[in-house]
Amino acid sequence: MNRKKFLRLSSLGFAALTSKKINTLVLAQKPVVISTWDAGMAVNAAVWKILEQGGKALDAVEAGAISIENEINCCVGLGGYPDRDGIVTLDACIMDEHANCGAVAGLERIKHPISVARKVMELTPHVILVGNGAQQFAVENGFIKEPEVLSEEAEKAYKDWLQSSEYRPEINIEKKQKFGGPFAPAFFKDGTPNHDTMGILAIDKKGNMSGGVTTSGMAFKIHGRVGDSSAIGAGLFVDNEVGCATSSGVGEEVIRICGTHLVVEFMRQGYTPENACRKAVERIVNRDKAKAKTIQVGFLAMNKKGEHGGYAIQKGFVYSIKTAKQNEIIATKYLL
Ligand code: SD4
């Protein structure tokens, strides 16, 4: 899909979104896929191709992540924004219904970190591989080492950023006003990506759940910084008995509370997915309210029944849902 088409899809999604009311509790018929942000609409389409044919949730979430990693000028994958040294480093993780999981962090020059994460899960006794070791493992398993180039947009953004070299992780707060709409879309009018993470949760026809996350991480981070998106229990958690959750936003805050594990544990206690996400957001906000006002974190969850929901610190967090009967964007409630 070229960038124009991708942007058009995003804006179609945005049009659908503005007519949506805020979600409280939605029970969807299985199979179900939910993905972070409105960019999740295109991702869900890739996931759905596998789910509707009775395929496994694990294969489906991997396919969804691959589809967005393929976007050259996207916020996720090698087209994403680099770290402060101008290097794109990717984090990803995947988890299935048996609590098998794999992850990569700080991976350079490999197009599909989600698939490397799956290989870590399937071919090694480990869960996470990082940096050069992760790259070496990827190459040994047939992944191609791509040229070290920034996408056009990332290069421009990096040059702009170098003017101030200031690291301010204010995800989707300040720019949403510029856009002028009630919700922050995946891309702004000028094409700037608003976030850089795709989290995908799916339940297949058999009722099994899996999840995957892929990201280029926080833009202009310190080289070597790892966020929540490769941390099982922070950026992703799946418990096939209970439900699954993923996150987007400032990863440090999510890691601090083991965010998605917490969300799943709240669902185990009987909270709806939306309320479980709200409780996790409260945990972050109550720790440091002044800081919480300056950042964004959103959680997204689905329980075993296919009920789903999300919650965020700030206005602007949305997710995309696809079932046999539903294909739309849902805005989450927010705390501040
Ligand atoms: C990170 N959680 O690296 C990611 C960033 C993100 O939308 O979600 N951006 O901390």
PDB file of all heavy atoms in Angstrom, residues 37 91 167 171 194-198 215-218 221 225-229 247-252 254, ligand 1:
ATOM      1  N   TRP A  37      -4.835   2.599  17.975  1.00  0.00           N
ATOM      2  CA  TRP A  37      -4.916   3.751  17.081  1.00  0.00           C
ATOM      3  C   TRP A  37      -5.772   3.486  15.829  1.00  0.00           C
ATOM      4  O   TRP A  37      -6.192   2.359  15.582  1.00  0.00           O
ATOM      5  CB  TRP A  37      -3.517   4.233  16.670  1.00  0.00           C
ATOM      6  CG  TRP A  37      -2.621   4.492  17.836  1.00  0.00           C
ATOM      7  CD1 TRP A  37      -1.573   3.718  18.262  1.00  0.00           C
ATOM      8  CD2 TRP A  37      -2.712   5.584  18.764  1.00  0.00           C
ATOM      9  NE1 TRP A  37      -0.996   4.272  19.377  1.00  0.00           N
ATOM     10  CE2 TRP A  37      -1.678   5.410  19.701  1.00  0.00           C
ATOM     11  CE3 TRP A  37      -3.566   6.687  18.876  1.00  0.00           C
ATOM     12  CZ2 TRP A  37      -1.469   6.300  20.753  1.00  0.00           C
ATOM     13  CZ3 TRP A  37      -3.355   7.577  19.919  1.00  0.00           C
ATOM     14  CH2 TRP A  37      -2.314   7.377  20.831  1.00  0.00           C
ATOM     15  N   ASP A  91      11.669  -2.313  18.628  1.00  0.00           N
ATOM     16  CA  ASP A  91      11.262  -3.224  19.707  1.00  0.00           C
ATOM     17  C   ASP A  91       9.995  -3.951  19.257  1.00  0.00           C
ATOM     18  O   ASP A  91       9.123  -3.335  18.625  1.00  0.00           O
ATOM     19  CB  ASP A  91      10.905  -2.458  20.994  1.00  0.00           C
ATOM     20  CG  ASP A  91      12.068  -1.649  21.568  1.00  0.00           C
ATOM     21  OD1 ASP A  91      13.229  -1.941  21.222  1.00  0.00           O
ATOM     22  OD2 ASP A  91      11.791  -0.742  22.369  1.00  0.00           O
ATOM     23  N   TYR A 167      14.633  16.230  24.296  1.00  0.00           N
ATOM     24  CA  TYR A 167      13.789  15.043  24.366  1.00  0.00           C
ATOM     25  C   TYR A 167      12.573  15.311  25.234  1.00  0.00           C
ATOM     26  O   TYR A 167      12.690  15.475  26.448  1.00  0.00           O
ATOM     27  CB  TYR A 167      14.578  13.857  24.912  1.00  0.00           C
ATOM     28  CG  TYR A 167      13.737  12.610  24.988  1.00  0.00           C
ATOM     29  CD1 TYR A 167      13.123  12.099  23.842  1.00  0.00           C
ATOM     30  CD2 TYR A 167      13.527  11.950  26.187  1.00  0.00           C
ATOM     31  CE1 TYR A 167      12.334  10.976  23.904  1.00  0.00           C
ATOM     32  CE2 TYR A 167      12.742  10.818  26.251  1.00  0.00           C
ATOM     33  CZ  TYR A 167      12.150  10.334  25.099  1.00  0.00           C
ATOM     34  OH  TYR A 167      11.362   9.217  25.157  1.00  0.00           O
ATOM     35  N   ILE A 171       3.658  12.471  23.992  1.00  0.00           N
ATOM     36  CA  ILE A 171       2.923  11.776  22.942  1.00  0.00           C
ATOM     37  C   ILE A 171       1.489  12.259  22.822  1.00  0.00           C
ATOM     38  O   ILE A 171       0.759  12.305  23.778  1.00  0.00           O
ATOM     39  CB  ILE A 171       2.965  10.267  23.207  1.00  0.00           C
ATOM     40  CG1 ILE A 171       4.358   9.772  22.911  1.00  0.00           C
ATOM     41  CG2 ILE A 171       1.939   9.530  22.379  1.00  0.00           C
ATOM     42  CD1 ILE A 171       4.523   8.313  22.980  1.00  0.00           C
ATOM     43  N   ASN A 194       1.865  10.534  14.696  1.00  0.00           N
ATOM     44  CA  ASN A 194       1.511  10.991  16.022  1.00  0.00           C
ATOM     45  C   ASN A 194       1.975  10.022  17.097  1.00  0.00           C
ATOM     46  O   ASN A 194       1.966  10.308  18.270  1.00  0.00           O
ATOM     47  CB  ASN A 194      -0.009  11.139  16.083  1.00  0.00           C
ATOM     48  CG  ASN A 194      -0.454  11.804  17.330  1.00  0.00           C
ATOM     49  OD1 ASN A 194       0.286  12.578  17.904  1.00  0.00           O
ATOM     50  ND2 ASN A 194      -1.637  11.490  17.770  1.00  0.00           N
ATOM     51  N   HIS A 195       2.306   8.854  16.695  1.00  0.00           N
ATOM     52  CA  HIS A 195       2.750   7.836  17.641  1.00  0.00           C
ATOM     53  C   HIS A 195       3.500   6.795  16.841  1.00  0.00           C
ATOM     54  O   HIS A 195       3.513   6.839  15.620  1.00  0.00           O
ATOM     55  CB  HIS A 195       1.559   7.217  18.353  1.00  0.00           C
ATOM     56  CG  HIS A 195       0.525   6.783  17.393  1.00  0.00           C
ATOM     57  ND1 HIS A 195       0.619   5.623  16.687  1.00  0.00           N
ATOM     58  CD2 HIS A 195      -0.593   7.405  16.970  1.00  0.00           C
ATOM     59  CE1 HIS A 195      -0.406   5.524  15.888  1.00  0.00           C
ATOM     60  NE2 HIS A 195      -1.158   6.593  16.026  1.00  0.00           N
ATOM     61  N   ASP A 196       4.080   5.853  17.503  1.00  0.00           N
ATOM     62  CA  ASP A 196       4.979   4.973  16.790  1.00  0.00           C
ATOM     63  C   ASP A 196       4.859   3.524  17.207  1.00  0.00           C
ATOM     64  O   ASP A 196       5.810   2.771  17.096  1.00  0.00           O
ATOM     65  CB  ASP A 196       6.414   5.461  16.993  1.00  0.00           C
ATOM     66  CG  ASP A 196       6.580   6.099  18.348  1.00  0.00           C
ATOM     67  OD1 ASP A 196       6.156   5.470  19.326  1.00  0.00           O
ATOM     68  OD2 ASP A 196       7.099   7.224  18.431  1.00  0.00           O
ATOM     69  N   THR A 197       3.686   3.143  17.678  1.00  0.00           N
ATOM     70  CA  THR A 197       3.537   1.781  18.170  1.00  0.00           C
ATOM     71  C   THR A 197       2.242   1.154  17.692  1.00  0.00           C
ATOM     72  O   THR A 197       1.196   1.805  17.710  1.00  0.00           O
ATOM     73  CB  THR A 197       3.545   1.774  19.710  1.00  0.00           C
ATOM     74  OG1 THR A 197       4.795   2.308  20.145  1.00  0.00           O
ATOM     75  CG2 THR A 197       3.391   0.367  20.265  1.00  0.00           C
ATOM     76  N   MET A 198       2.323  -0.102  17.287  1.00  0.00           N
ATOM     77  CA  MET A 198       1.126  -0.844  16.937  1.00  0.00           C
ATOM     78  C   MET A 198       0.996  -2.047  17.863  1.00  0.00           C
ATOM     79  O   MET A 198       1.869  -2.912  17.885  1.00  0.00           O
ATOM     80  CB  MET A 198       1.226  -1.300  15.461  1.00  0.00           C
ATOM     81  CG  MET A 198       0.072  -2.148  14.977  1.00  0.00           C
ATOM     82  SD  MET A 198      -1.570  -1.429  15.257  1.00  0.00           S
ATOM     83  CE  MET A 198      -1.459   0.124  14.373  1.00  0.00           C
ATOM     84  N   THR A 215       7.216  -1.601  17.220  1.00  0.00           N
ATOM     85  CA  THR A 215       7.428  -0.155  17.356  1.00  0.00           C
ATOM     86  C   THR A 215       8.848   0.252  16.994  1.00  0.00           C
ATOM     87  O   THR A 215       9.780  -0.563  17.074  1.00  0.00           O
ATOM     88  CB  THR A 215       7.159   0.296  18.811  1.00  0.00           C
ATOM     89  OG1 THR A 215       7.200   1.726  18.887  1.00  0.00           O
ATOM     90  CG2 THR A 215       8.197  -0.253  19.779  1.00  0.00           C
ATOM     91  N   SER A 216       8.984   1.515  16.611  1.00  0.00           N
ATOM     92  CA  SER A 216      10.325   2.089  16.505  1.00  0.00           C
ATOM     93  C   SER A 216      10.654   2.825  17.815  1.00  0.00           C
ATOM     94  O   SER A 216      11.696   3.435  17.949  1.00  0.00           O
ATOM     95  CB  SER A 216      10.406   3.054  15.325  1.00  0.00           C
ATOM     96  OG  SER A 216       9.380   4.011  15.415  1.00  0.00           O
ATOM     97  N   GLY A 217       9.728   2.761  18.738  1.00  0.00           N
ATOM     98  CA  GLY A 217       9.977   3.333  20.071  1.00  0.00           C
ATOM     99  C   GLY A 217       9.827   4.845  20.091  1.00  0.00           C
ATOM    100  O   GLY A 217       9.488   5.468  19.086  1.00  0.00           O
ATOM    101  N   MET A 218      10.093   5.418  21.218  1.00  0.00           N
ATOM    102  CA  MET A 218       9.963   6.865  21.357  1.00  0.00           C
ATOM    103  C   MET A 218      10.991   7.542  20.453  1.00  0.00           C
ATOM    104  O   MET A 218      12.169   7.176  20.459  1.00  0.00           O
ATOM    105  CB  MET A 218      10.242   7.276  22.801  1.00  0.00           C
ATOM    106  CG  MET A 218       9.306   6.627  23.797  1.00  0.00           C
ATOM    107  SD  MET A 218       7.745   7.491  23.923  1.00  0.00           S
ATOM    108  CE  MET A 218       8.226   8.832  24.940  1.00  0.00           C
ATOM    109  N   LYS A 221      15.013   8.928  21.236  1.00  0.00           N
ATOM    110  CA  LYS A 221      15.411   8.363  22.541  1.00  0.00           C
ATOM    111  C   LYS A 221      16.941   8.221  22.606  1.00  0.00           C
ATOM    112  O   LYS A 221      17.619   8.266  21.570  1.00  0.00           O
ATOM    113  CB  LYS A 221      14.754   6.984  22.671  1.00  0.00           C
ATOM    114  CG  LYS A 221      15.187   6.013  21.557  1.00  0.00           C
ATOM    115  CD  LYS A 221      14.246   4.809  21.414  1.00  0.00           C
ATOM    116  CE  LYS A 221      14.655   3.958  20.217  1.00  0.00           C
ATOM    117  NZ  LYS A 221      13.705   2.872  19.933  1.00  0.00           N
ATOM    118  N   ARG A 225      17.998   2.769  24.569  1.00  0.00           N
ATOM    119  CA  ARG A 225      16.767   2.795  25.377  1.00  0.00           C
ATOM    120  C   ARG A 225      15.773   1.738  24.866  1.00  0.00           C
ATOM    121  O   ARG A 225      15.550   1.590  23.690  1.00  0.00           O
ATOM    122  CB  ARG A 225      16.132   4.188  25.297  1.00  0.00           C
ATOM    123  CG  ARG A 225      14.806   4.320  26.045  1.00  0.00           C
ATOM    124  CD  ARG A 225      13.604   4.136  25.154  1.00  0.00           C
ATOM    125  NE  ARG A 225      12.353   4.469  25.835  1.00  0.00           N
ATOM    126  CZ  ARG A 225      11.147   4.193  25.328  1.00  0.00           C
ATOM    127  NH1 ARG A 225      11.030   3.606  24.171  1.00  0.00           N
ATOM    128  NH2 ARG A 225      10.069   4.528  26.002  1.00  0.00           N
ATOM    129  N   VAL A 226      15.197   1.005  25.793  1.00  0.00           N
ATOM    130  CA  VAL A 226      14.174   0.023  25.440  1.00  0.00           C
ATOM    131  C   VAL A 226      12.881   0.422  26.135  1.00  0.00           C
ATOM    132  O   VAL A 226      12.883   0.761  27.315  1.00  0.00           O
ATOM    133  CB  VAL A 226      14.611  -1.397  25.897  1.00  0.00           C
ATOM    134  CG1 VAL A 226      13.483  -2.395  25.712  1.00  0.00           C
ATOM    135  CG2 VAL A 226      15.850  -1.835  25.124  1.00  0.00           C
ATOM    136  N   GLY A 227      11.803   0.377  25.391  1.00  0.00           N
ATOM    137  CA  GLY A 227      10.510   0.779  25.969  1.00  0.00           C
ATOM    138  C   GLY A 227       9.695  -0.416  26.419  1.00  0.00           C
ATOM    139  O   GLY A 227      10.220  -1.513  26.641  1.00  0.00           O
ATOM    140  N   ASP A 228       8.409  -0.188  26.536  1.00  0.00           N
ATOM    141  CA  ASP A 228       7.504  -1.238  27.011  1.00  0.00           C
ATOM    142  C   ASP A 228       7.151  -2.258  25.927  1.00  0.00           C
ATOM    143  O   ASP A 228       6.685  -3.352  26.227  1.00  0.00           O
ATOM    144  CB  ASP A 228       6.217  -0.615  27.547  1.00  0.00           C
ATOM    145  CG  ASP A 228       5.520   0.271  26.514  1.00  0.00           C
ATOM    146  OD1 ASP A 228       6.219   0.840  25.651  1.00  0.00           O
ATOM    147  OD2 ASP A 228       4.286   0.399  26.568  1.00  0.00           O
ATOM    148  N   SER A 229       7.370  -1.887  24.660  1.00  0.00           N
ATOM    149  CA  SER A 229       6.822  -2.694  23.565  1.00  0.00           C
ATOM    150  C   SER A 229       7.520  -4.036  23.370  1.00  0.00           C
ATOM    151  O   SER A 229       7.030  -4.882  22.623  1.00  0.00           O
ATOM    152  CB  SER A 229       6.883  -1.899  22.259  1.00  0.00           C
ATOM    153  OG  SER A 229       6.200  -0.684  22.418  1.00  0.00           O
ATOM    154  N   SER A 247      -0.479  -1.806  25.215  1.00  0.00           N
ATOM    155  CA  SER A 247      -0.386  -0.402  25.628  1.00  0.00           C
ATOM    156  C   SER A 247       0.281   0.430  24.548  1.00  0.00           C
ATOM    157  O   SER A 247       0.990  -0.099  23.683  1.00  0.00           O
ATOM    158  CB  SER A 247       0.449  -0.287  26.910  1.00  0.00           C
ATOM    159  OG  SER A 247       1.759  -0.745  26.644  1.00  0.00           O
ATOM    160  N   SER A 248       0.064   1.731  24.643  1.00  0.00           N
ATOM    161  CA  SER A 248       0.801   2.671  23.804  1.00  0.00           C
ATOM    162  C   SER A 248       1.029   3.934  24.624  1.00  0.00           C
ATOM    163  O   SER A 248       0.256   4.242  25.524  1.00  0.00           O
ATOM    164  CB  SER A 248      -0.004   2.980  22.537  1.00  0.00           C
ATOM    165  OG  SER A 248       0.811   3.663  21.609  1.00  0.00           O
ATOM    166  N   GLY A 249       2.088   4.647  24.305  1.00  0.00           N
ATOM    167  CA  GLY A 249       2.387   5.852  25.066  1.00  0.00           C
ATOM    168  C   GLY A 249       3.773   5.769  25.671  1.00  0.00           C
ATOM    169  O   GLY A 249       4.630   5.026  25.180  1.00  0.00           O
ATOM    170  N   VAL A 250       3.986   6.516  26.718  1.00  0.00           N
ATOM    171  CA  VAL A 250       5.329   6.588  27.319  1.00  0.00           C
ATOM    172  C   VAL A 250       5.648   5.272  28.043  1.00  0.00           C
ATOM    173  O   VAL A 250       5.142   4.985  29.125  1.00  0.00           O
ATOM    174  CB  VAL A 250       5.422   7.786  28.284  1.00  0.00           C
ATOM    175  CG1 VAL A 250       6.800   7.830  28.940  1.00  0.00           C
ATOM    176  CG2 VAL A 250       5.155   9.076  27.533  1.00  0.00           C
ATOM    177  N   GLY A 251       6.514   4.504  27.403  1.00  0.00           N
ATOM    178  CA  GLY A 251       6.784   3.146  27.856  1.00  0.00           C
ATOM    179  C   GLY A 251       7.315   3.046  29.274  1.00  0.00           C
ATOM    180  O   GLY A 251       7.019   2.100  29.996  1.00  0.00           O
ATOM    181  N   GLU A 252       8.086   4.042  29.684  1.00  0.00           N
ATOM    182  CA  GLU A 252       8.672   3.997  31.035  1.00  0.00           C
ATOM    183  C   GLU A 252       7.565   3.912  32.091  1.00  0.00           C
ATOM    184  O   GLU A 252       7.684   3.195  33.085  1.00  0.00           O
ATOM    185  CB  GLU A 252       9.535   5.244  31.278  1.00  0.00           C
ATOM    186  CG  GLU A 252      10.906   5.203  30.622  1.00  0.00           C
ATOM    187  CD  GLU A 252      10.890   5.399  29.097  1.00  0.00           C
ATOM    188  OE1 GLU A 252       9.807   5.648  28.536  1.00  0.00           O
ATOM    189  OE2 GLU A 252      11.969   5.282  28.480  1.00  0.00           O
ATOM    190  N   VAL A 254       4.605   2.689  31.693  1.00  0.00           N
ATOM    191  CA  VAL A 254       3.929   1.392  31.587  1.00  0.00           C
ATOM    192  C   VAL A 254       4.766   0.306  32.268  1.00  0.00           C
ATOM    193  O   VAL A 254       4.256  -0.538  33.001  1.00  0.00           O
ATOM    194  CB  VAL A 254       3.676   1.037  30.107  1.00  0.00           C
ATOM    195  CG1 VAL A 254       3.021  -0.329  29.988  1.00  0.00           C
ATOM    196  CG2 VAL A 254       2.811   2.101  29.438  1.00  0.00           C
TER     197      VAL A 254
HETATM  198  C1  SD4 B   1       7.628   3.248  23.717  1.00  0.00           C
HETATM  199  N1  SD4 B   1       5.339   2.703  24.037  1.00  0.00           N
HETATM  200  O1  SD4 B   1       8.644   3.024  23.069  1.00  0.00           O
HETATM  201  C2  SD4 B   1       6.291   3.076  23.045  1.00  0.00           C
HETATM  202  C3  SD4 B   1       5.950   4.346  22.324  1.00  0.00           C
HETATM  203  C4  SD4 B   1       4.547   4.448  21.819  1.00  0.00           C
HETATM  204  O2  SD4 B   1       3.046   5.436  20.410  1.00  0.00           O
HETATM  205  O3  SD4 B   1       3.643   3.763  22.223  1.00  0.00           O
HETATM  206  N2  SD4 B   1       4.274   5.313  20.913  1.00  0.00           N
HETATM  207  O4  SD4 B   1       7.667   3.679  24.863  1.00  0.00           O
END
